[in-house]
Amino acid sequence: MSNARRSERGPMMTGGTPLRSLDEEELLGHIFPAFPPGADLVVAPGDDAAVLRTSDRTIATTDTVVLGRDWLDAWSSGADIGHKVVAQNLADVAAMGGVPTGVLVTLVADPELSLEWVLDHVRGLAEVCTAAGVAVLGGDLSSAPPGVVMVSVTALGRLDGEPVLRSGARPGDVLAVHGSLGLADAGLRLLQADAPDRLPEATERQRRPEPPLAAGPQAAAGGATAMLDVSDGLLRDGGRIARASRVVLDLDLSALVPDVDALADVLGAEQALDCVLAGGEEHSLLATFPAGVLPAGWRAIGTVRAVRDDEAPAILVGGRVVTHTGWDHFRAT
Amino acid sequence: MSNARRSERGPMMTGGTPLRSLDEEELLGHIFPAFPPGADLVVAPGDDAAVLRTSDRTIATTDTVVLGRDWLDAWSSGADIGHKVVAQNLADVAAMGGVPTGVLVTLVADPELSLEWVLDHVRGLAEVCTAAGVAVLGGDLSSAPPGVVMVSVTALGRLDGEPVLRSGARPGDVLAVHGSLGLADAGLRLLQADAPDRLPEATERQRRPEPPLAAGPQAAAGGATAMLDVSDGLLRDGGRIARASRVVLDLDLSALVPDVDALADVLGAEQALDCVLAGGEEHSLLATFPAGVLPAGWRAIGTVRAVRDDEAPAILVGGRVVTHTGWDHFRAT
């Protein structure tokens, strides 16, 4: 959400019961009961640390969202943010070929933040954890300067087979996607245009991404050679596979026509194509497979070929280089 | 650091190269090489997630520090904060009886924060990770509103035996501590009094806590019935063991005389006792053991007895109730 770079003290801080009116134990007393227990939890949160039943290899990843940079109070509820920050972490576990098992959640917030927002937030994250069979392993609460709210999640996962890295794509592989493309970015554009109802499916995807978690281990078992989740856009994330694997990915634009068509009526063809090629926060899975073995639910959108003498590893669209720089967290824009 | 509740834009933001002048890849290019690899790392950071070799049970905990609330730029260097936030997380792993194996580190910062501070910070956290044999499994970088810097760490650990909880203390046990008491709080008071050199050992402990990590698994193997690390003060943390175990802990004040004496020359007897009984951020380990089995390095400081009909679980000092409320993160003070 590159153009939402501002802090605010909106409704989430001005209605209801401010956090400063509770002590930490009271606050945790509200929060803990909402957490799903999780099948693999040996020691629940509340001691120095939690204990999780694990296999011989554990996947770990972390991702943080900041009010004003990653979301706006006016566009997303507490539950939306709880859902989104957990879902994007679980997507990273799935993108390694793993099954998410646990999360730790840290809330750093202006003490004016309302308890009602926090409880709604906890409901959102508990829902997505419950649906995925994921335990809440713990967390931390800290106060922050006025207007600041951030949520940081660490997700753990179980790896039953070999991890699927970005670096394993081989010439001759098929490039495939599981899930939608461009929908979350279209939703962001509609929110920015104050027209969220023009394509509710897109707005909902922006607010509550639905990564195809089961498709990660499915792809790993089905022979995927490289995989990641589309968090920064098809071109940017595809470029990561290309560079890590030292190959060229060639997107077949005709395979993306259904994705573009789904958005073009509302956004126009040009913006729709931009959403599909460069839209972030979708959290669908992008992977490469040996030709002929595409598992159910995956659709081919391109091919992998060797790098020629005169070129660098890259992602091409219909054989041509398309540049897209995306955006950086610290760079002034 | 209850009275340091203010944000600032001090030297860490005004000298050197601001983060906003780098893109994320450049910044990560500076940071990644400083991370220790760690013996149990199967897939290093840089993909969607890292993969850690694990045993059948994994300990997980998380803790966050915020500029202006948990530290002041004028008092602590970037390396100090890197050391401290990792050490306090590793202490929680040790306090379960575990061996820390990996950390994930998230930095959310004002883009004016200097690269030099960040690199110093990374050095500090890499040093403490290397000393403990802990791998850096990943992290996240995000920008924050002006003046905001926070670091969130999640630590993972291996559990070879049974976890030592807070709830296992039994009447007849001995209460024991491994490590110093009150030193970190004395250091904070000296920093507040602008006299850090009056007891450099205390100031250093405040800036760079040294939890006795090996004493955690040692205590677990040696029969500890309950354990935690002293993060909020002996009375407050001892009270947690008492309530979780439904027992009374009775501190023997004479056993604390050496701790008080070590501080009394500089702080006076009253403040010294307050540091020893209520001083936080020490991260020494506090545990209960069956009588007669105290492992090497642990010293008895009290006893555990049953709760009588007319009393609640509590920690007593020489048989008397001492109230100390500590401080809360969100409560206005």
Side-chain angles (χ1 to χ4, degrees):
Chain A
M1 195 184 286
S2 54
N3 58 349
R5 207 180 267 263
R6 55 194 158 107
S7 66
E8 51 172 342
R9 209 158 179 171
M12 61 198 274
M13 309 239 186
T14 52
T17 315
L19 292 187
R20 66 175 154 71
S21 65
L22 289 88
D23 68 28
E24 193 170 345
E25 241 164 84
E26 288 168 334
L27 185 52
L28 290 176
H30 283 285
I31 291 175
F32 275 171
F35 285 156
D40 294 326
L41 204 55
V42 180
V43 176
D47 213 290
D48 292 279
V51 180
L52 182 72
R53 199 166 289 120
T54 45
S55 62
D56 61 339
R57 283 167 306 168
T58 296
I59 300 169
T61 185
T62 187
D63 210 1
T64 297
V65 293
V66 180
L67 174 63
R69 193 187 73 81
D70 298 293
W71 90 90
L72 296 181
D73 192 9
W75 294 353
S76 296
S77 70
D80 290 340
I81 298 309
H83 179 109
K84 186 168 180 169
V85 64
V86 170
Q88 69 197 39
N89 273 283
L90 301 189
D92 282 326
V93 172
M96 298 297 284
V99 176
T101 50
V103 294
L104 299 100
V105 184
T106 292
L107 172 68
V108 182
D110 183 343
E112 295 301 316
L113 180 64
S114 79
L115 173 64
E116 290 75 10
W117 189 93
V118 173
L119 296 183
D120 188 43
H121 179 68
V122 169
R123 264 193 300 277
L125 68 86
E127 272 172 26
V128 67
C129 285
T130 301
V134 163
V136 176
L137 300 176
D140 195 18
L141 293 166
S142 268
S143 60
V148 175
V149 181
M150 52 131 280
V151 185
S152 183
V153 169
T154 295
L156 302 181
R158 190 179 74 235
L159 190 63
D160 294 326
E162 288 304 308
V164 184
L165 307 184
R166 298 172 176 187
S167 52
R170 293 168 305 192
D173 282 354
V174 171
L175 179 68
V177 69
H178 195 298
S180 53
L181 290 169
L183 213 49
D185 190 25
L188 176 59
R189 290 170 194 230
L190 293 173
L191 284 163
Q192 286 167 338
D194 203 18
D197 298 335
R198 291 197 58 203
L199 194 59
E201 186 189 353
T203 316
E204 182 69 8
R205 184 59 51 94
Q206 165 59 222
R207 287 180 172 140
R208 301 199 176 204
E210 292 290 352
L213 298 176
Q218 176 211 25
T225 52
M227 183 157 56
L228 47 61
D229 75 301
V230 180
S231 51
D232 294 324
L234 182 56
L235 290 183
R236 203 168 180 202
D237 290 316
R240 289 177 172 139
I241 289 180
R243 285 193 302 279
S245 301
R246 303 204 53 76
V247 293
V248 169
L249 304 184
D250 197 356
L251 280 175
D252 174 7
L253 207 49
S254 70
L256 302 176
V257 166
D259 304 275
V260 176
D261 281 355
L263 309 174
D265 280 356
V266 168
L267 292 175
E270 195 179 333
Q271 276 205 56
L273 181 61
D274 196 39
C275 288
V276 170
L277 289 178
E281 302 188 292
E282 193 77 13
H283 303 296
S284 294
L285 293 175
L286 181 69
T288 55
F289 295 89
V293 304
L294 221 53
W298 289 83
R299 59 194 171 104
I301 60 168
T303 53
V304 182
R305 69 165 173 80
V307 175
R308 292 175 192 140
D309 283 348
D310 58 341
E311 66 182 1
I315 185 165
L316 311 180
V317 181
R320 287 174 310 163
V321 174
V322 177
T323 56
H324 178 80
T325 59
W327 74 291
D328 280 297
H329 289 162
F330 291 104
R331 179 86 82 179
T333 49
Chain B
M1 194 182 289
S2 53
N3 59 348
R5 207 181 266 262
R6 54 190 159 111
S7 67
E8 52 172 343
R9 206 159 181 169
M12 60 197 276
M13 308 235 187
T14 52
T17 314
L19 292 186
R20 66 175 152 70
S21 65
L22 290 87
D23 68 30
E24 193 171 345
E25 239 162 86
E26 288 168 335
L27 183 54
L28 291 175
H30 283 285
I31 292 174
F32 275 170
F35 286 156
D40 294 327
L41 203 55
V42 181
V43 176
D47 215 289
D48 291 279
V51 180
L52 182 73
R53 200 167 289 119
T54 45
S55 62
D56 62 338
R57 283 167 306 168
T58 296
I59 300 169
T61 185
T62 188
D63 211 1
T64 297
V65 293
V66 180
L67 173 64
R69 192 186 75 82
D70 298 293
W71 90 91
L72 296 181
D73 193 9
W75 293 353
S76 297
S77 69
D80 290 340
I81 298 309
H83 178 110
K84 186 167 180 169
V85 63
V86 170
Q88 69 197 41
N89 273 282
L90 302 189
D92 282 326
V93 172
M96 298 296 285
V99 177
T101 51
V103 293
L104 299 100
V105 185
T106 293
L107 172 67
V108 181
D110 183 342
E112 294 302 316
L113 180 63
S114 80
L115 173 64
E116 291 74 11
W117 189 93
V118 173
L119 296 183
D120 188 44
H121 179 68
V122 170
R123 264 192 302 276
L125 68 88
E127 271 171 27
V128 68
C129 285
T130 301
V134 163
V136 176
L137 301 175
D140 195 17
L141 292 165
S142 269
S143 61
V148 175
V149 180
M150 52 131 282
V151 185
S152 183
V153 169
T154 296
L156 302 181
R158 191 179 71 234
L159 190 64
D160 294 327
E162 289 303 306
V164 184
L165 307 184
R166 299 172 175 186
S167 53
R170 292 167 307 192
D173 283 354
V174 171
L175 179 68
V177 71
H178 194 297
S180 54
L181 289 168
L183 213 48
D185 190 25
L188 175 61
R189 290 170 194 231
L190 292 173
L191 284 163
Q192 287 167 338
D194 203 17
D197 298 334
R198 293 196 58 202
L199 194 59
E201 185 190 353
T203 316
E204 182 68 8
R205 184 58 52 93
Q206 165 59 221
R207 287 179 172 140
R208 301 197 176 205
E210 292 290 352
L213 297 176
Q218 176 211 25
T225 51
M227 183 158 53
L228 47 61
D229 75 301
V230 181
S231 51
D232 294 324
L234 182 56
L235 290 183
R236 201 169 181 201
D237 290 315
R240 289 175 173 142
I241 289 180
R243 286 192 302 278
S245 300
R246 302 204 54 76
V247 294
V248 168
L249 305 184
D250 197 356
L251 280 173
D252 172 8
L253 208 47
S254 70
L256 302 176
V257 167
D259 305 275
V260 176
D261 281 354
L263 309 174
D265 280 355
V266 169
L267 292 176
E270 196 179 331
Q271 275 205 54
L273 181 61
D274 196 37
C275 288
V276 170
L277 290 177
E281 303 188 293
E282 194 76 13
H283 302 296
S284 293
L285 292 175
L286 181 69
T288 55
F289 294 90
V293 304
L294 221 53
W298 290 83
R299 58 194 171 104
I301 59 169
T303 52
V304 182
R305 68 162 173 81
V307 176
R308 291 175 193 139
D309 284 348
D310 59 342
E311 64 183 0
I315 185 164
L316 311 180
V317 181
R320 287 175 310 162
V321 173
V322 177
T323 57
H324 178 80
T325 58
W327 74 291
D328 278 298
H329 288 164
F330 290 104
R331 180 86 83 178
T333 49

